[in-house]
Amino acid sequence: RTASDTNKYFQTTIYEGNGAGQRVGAFQPFDNTFTVAKSALFNTSNYLSRTPSSTGNPKKATFSRWVKRNINGQLNGLLSAYVSESQKFLIVLNTDNELEIYNYSGAYDFQVETTRTFLDSSQWVHYYIAIDTTESTSTDRIKIFINGVQQTSFVTASYPSLNFDMDFNTASVPMYLGKESGNVYSAETAWVDGTIYAPSYFGETDTSTNRWVPKALTGITWGTNGFYQDYADSGNVGDDESGNGNDFANNSSVVQTTDSPTTNLSILNPNDKASGLTLSNGNRKFANGTNRNVQSTLSLPSTGKYYWEVNLDTA
């Protein structure tokens, strides 16, 4: 682009939010009109769950979720379905900080794991996954896009066999958001049963910043077990807004927050803290902090006025 203010814009921009503290340029307000006001905070062992009463399409689905991670090196379950502990389908950020998708039934039926790692707790990231085992080309059966960019480099890439039935969208098989450890903020979560929709249905490039931002979800046929969660109802964070009524139960105090992809709030930085310091509550609280320090995820610009609060729980 041609930009008159080079303090705000770079002519070349590398990845934002990929790795701890690796971002460039001054973040600018979004020009796009759709805003996300709320999110849900999944702390350790907090999760939402739903057990379908009807079987949908076990071969084809689209998954989209906006996530802001709190702890690195820990399993973060983005979506999972369990026939049993020995037979399950998972989409996770794994302990190597990579996105991983697999179906397991005593052995891996398939496993796709990105080489790209996700360590930055200061920014929201959009994860999009298209699953279609009816595709004739094996590499087309699992497609991953991060912030609108397709991923083509993998640590492991064994794809499902043609017409393989996944362990999801099946009657009596529970589906979970956050069952595996949690410790993420989540916004705009969507699961489409039986149809593949492009990433452009769930996000778009902002006209001012050239960053990938959320988009209002329209024109989607959700299918039998499809759902859409915007976390706007504080009394029912697992509420399904797709029109299907596929609400998820709140099993362990998943709470609503105002941190979102539109209004990204500063929290404590797990990548910039003293050894031995324990962060919790969405990285808004620390303990065992005698003579130890921790930085925030967002720095203060040299101009303007800013306000923040710190509460002391115990002396």
Side-chain angles (χ1 to χ4, degrees):
R1 69 163 66 235
T2 299
S4 59
D5 187 348
T6 55
N7 290 322
K8 294 183 178 180
Y9 302 107
F10 282 78
Q11 303 306 314
T12 301
T13 303
I14 61 173
Y15 282 120
E16 296 177 0
N18 181 30
Q22 295 179 9
R23 57 183 186 267
V24 299
F27 292 142
Q28 303 301 308
F30 297 149
D31 278 354
N32 297 74
T33 57
F34 179 69
T35 60
V36 179
K38 304 294 183 181
S39 69
L41 173 59
F42 293 73
N43 282 313
T44 301
S45 300
N46 289 0
Y47 62 92
L48 304 175
S49 69
R50 175 181 178 268
T51 301
S53 58
S54 301
T55 294
N57 190 326
K59 305 178 191 297
K60 186 182 296 188
T62 309
F63 176 65
S64 167
R65 191 175 185 185
W66 286 84
V67 171
K68 182 177 176 179
R69 200 178 190 196
N70 295 334
I71 299 176
N72 295 326
Q74 183 183 77
L75 200 66
N76 296 144
L78 303 187
L79 180 84
S80 56
Y82 280 73
V83 177
S84 65
E85 285 294 334
S86 60
Q87 184 177 352
K88 54 194 175 183
F89 167 84
L90 273 86
I91 301 173
V92 296
L93 293 170
N94 63 26
T95 55
D96 292 325
N97 306 304
E98 298 151 349
L99 182 66
E100 184 177 1
I101 303 98
Y102 64 86
N103 205 96
Y104 185 86
S105 54
Y108 286 105
D109 302 302
F110 73 88
Q111 183 184 21
V112 179
E113 180 181 353
T114 65
T115 55
R116 183 175 173 184
T117 58
F118 302 93
L119 299 167
D120 192 352
S121 295
S122 71
Q123 294 298 315
W124 287 83
V125 177
H126 181 233
Y127 299 94
Y128 163 96
I129 298 165
I131 302 166
D132 186 356
T133 67
T134 69
E135 288 281 357
S136 57
T137 302
S138 61
T139 53
D140 288 339
R141 294 170 197 161
I142 302 287
K143 292 182 180 179
I144 301 171
F145 286 72
I146 308 298
N147 289 340
V149 178
Q150 186 169 4
Q151 305 301 291
T152 57
S153 178
F154 302 103
V155 174
T156 299
S158 61
Y159 292 92
S161 58
L162 185 63
N163 291 318
F164 178 77
D165 286 346
M166 308 280 183
D167 288 317
F168 59 57
N169 283 341
T170 304
S172 302
V173 175
M175 297 182 73
Y176 299 94
L177 296 167
K179 179 179 174 65
E180 297 75 24
S181 295
N183 289 310
V184 298
Y185 292 91
S186 176
E188 294 294 297
T189 301
W191 175 263
V192 183
D193 177 0
T195 306
I196 303 300
Y197 288 96
S200 57
Y201 275 81
F202 306 94
E204 59 188 338
T205 301
D206 180 71
T207 54
S208 172
T209 64
N210 207 35
R211 294 172 63 198
W212 190 254
V213 298
K215 182 179 180 180
L217 303 188
T218 60
I220 293 176
T221 300
W222 294 94
T224 302
N225 291 313
F227 63 86
Y228 163 47
Q229 296 176 357
D230 63 2
Y231 309 111
D233 185 348
S234 62
N236 183 14
V237 293
D239 188 27
D240 174 24
E241 299 294 332
S242 73
N244 279 350
N246 292 332
D247 294 355
F248 276 57
N250 191 346
N251 290 271
S252 44
S253 301
V254 177
V255 296
Q256 183 191 71
T257 80
T258 56
D259 200 333
S260 78
T262 302
T263 306
N264 183 31
L265 301 181
S266 182
I267 56 177
L268 301 175
N269 192 347
N271 300 305
D272 195 356
K273 68 181 183 67
S275 176
L277 196 71
T278 301
L279 305 182
S280 61
N281 192 27
N283 291 357
R284 296 176 295 184
K285 180 177 180 179
F286 70 88
N288 301 325
T290 303
N291 297 324
R292 297 185 177 96
N293 68 295
V294 58
Q295 304 288 341
S296 66
T297 53
L298 302 180
S299 60
L300 297 180
S302 58
T303 59
K305 295 181 179 180
Y306 302 91
Y307 166 82
W308 65 91
E309 289 184 1
V310 177
N311 296 321
L312 179 64
D313 286 348
T314 57

